[in-house]
Amino acid sequence: MAVFAQITDLHLRPPGVLTQGHIDTDTFAVRAIDAVIAKHPDVDAVIVSGDVADLGEDGAYARAAELLTRFRVPVLVVPGNHDRTGPLREAFLALPGVADHEVPEKVCYAGKYGGVTVVMLDTSVDGLDTRQFHGELGEAQLAWLDKTLSAGGPTIIAMHHPPFDVAIGFMDEIGLRDAKKFSDIVARHSQVKRIVCGHVHRPIVGSAGGVPAVAIPGTAHQVELALAPGAPPKLVMEPPAYGIHMVDETGAISHIGYVDHFGAPESFGDG
């Protein structure tokens, strides 16, 4: 069974700059990376599912590249809606797949780890300058995905935007616009065991093409669980977390792990 750690939505700024003026995302990222290394040293690879930077700054990517070298296993990165594809690619050229140009203007690639194929998809639209934060795979990337999945074998797909609505209105407004086309492709390939994503800064489970899809919290701030129609976008400092996904030919198991320490584990009592 292959085991993958996932971290998402680091929202880094250049060193010394706080995100949104008050969130020390750098320290949060360090703590998340250290927690994964300490608690799960034997993972086959680490998935970083987008929003590595908050404003797409070169200094933020340089810092992220430095931090991610702490991992001694392959690190797989794709951009999110807060990233800029060009600077992200340049910063992570040494990482698996990032230098590939399978689809023009998209950072997408596939590799096999622990006997499981990991498909990394780019849902970003490079919309920081125009305030476009929705996701879109595009026809070329969808065609590449369909071709890639035809190879068979147990597979996990990672992307930034969830391929399902999450019932938080302000997040669904910036969701994945071609989720239906994605789901139709996934439904044709039964070897896809799990879809993992970020973007929504919450633990949310949905599905696409009959495959369970899991969104995990960010390494720093989270999004308010605001299910009322018309609720305004707000963030909350709920506990940062990471994902652990265990995959083989029979299926997948996903866990949410928390970065914070809540005391030493205790044995179950007799009562």
Side-chain angles (χ1 to χ4, degrees):
M1 176 171 280
V3 181
F4 303 98
Q6 179 194 0
I7 59 175
T8 196
D9 295 273
L10 284 68
H11 285 273
L12 292 172
R13 298 292 310 277
V17 181
L18 299 179
T19 297
Q20 301 206 13
H22 67 97
I23 304 173
D24 187 358
T25 51
D26 189 288
T27 295
F28 277 114
V30 170
R31 291 172 56 206
I33 291 168
D34 286 350
V36 171
I37 292 171
K39 298 176 183 180
H40 310 280
D42 298 323
V43 297
D44 291 280
V46 174
I47 294 166
V48 184
S49 52
D51 281 3
V52 177
D54 190 57
L55 296 176
E57 297 155 305
D58 290 344
Y61 292 124
R63 176 58 174 160
E66 176 187 0
L67 292 178
L68 293 175
T69 61
R70 294 175 179 232
F71 292 116
R72 297 296 181 231
V73 297
V75 177
L76 313 175
V77 177
V78 285
N81 54 288
H82 279 262
D83 290 311
R84 298 183 191 274
T85 301
L88 180 145
R89 192 193 296 273
E90 288 300 315
F92 300 130
L93 283 174
L95 298 183
V98 174
D100 298 348
H101 289 268
E102 300 286 357
V103 177
E105 300 181 359
K106 291 288 190 179
V107 178
C108 61
Y109 51 95
K112 186 167 286 189
Y113 304 92
V116 170
T117 297
V118 182
V119 178
M120 303 293 293
L121 297 178
D122 183 349
T123 62
S124 68
V125 298
D126 262 346
L128 271 178
D129 294 333
T130 54
R131 304 296 293 175
Q132 296 183 75
F133 297 127
H134 67 275
E136 190 167 7
L137 291 160
E139 295 296 334
Q141 189 173 199
L142 287 167
W144 174 81
L145 172 65
D146 200 14
K147 179 181 178 181
T148 299
L149 292 179
S150 66
T155 300
I156 181 173
I157 297 175
M159 57 209 298
H160 183 66
H161 294 76
F164 58 90
D165 286 343
V166 301
I168 299 175
F170 55 83
M171 296 306 297
D172 285 334
E173 289 176 3
I174 55 171
L176 184 66
R177 293 193 175 173
D178 45 8
K180 176 62 166 60
K181 293 180 179 180
F182 169 79
S183 295
D184 289 345
I185 291 172
V186 169
R188 297 199 293 268
H189 299 279
S190 60
Q191 81 274 19
V192 179
K193 307 302 182 185
R194 182 70 84 244
I195 301 161
V196 303
C197 46
H199 183 55
V200 290
H201 292 242
R202 296 208 63 81
I204 305 176
V205 179
S207 65
V211 177
V214 180
I216 71 166
T219 59
H221 51 289
Q222 313 309 333
V223 164
E224 183 185 25
L225 181 57
L227 302 178
K234 291 184 179 180
L235 62 84
V236 292
M237 298 309 297
E238 292 177 349
Y242 57 88
I244 296 291
H245 310 287
M246 308 167 72
V247 186
D248 64 15
E249 65 279 359
T250 66
I253 302 165
S254 294
H255 294 270
I256 300 295
Y258 291 99
V259 173
D260 294 339
H261 183 66
F262 297 99
E266 299 181 23
S267 299
F268 284 105
D270 295 330

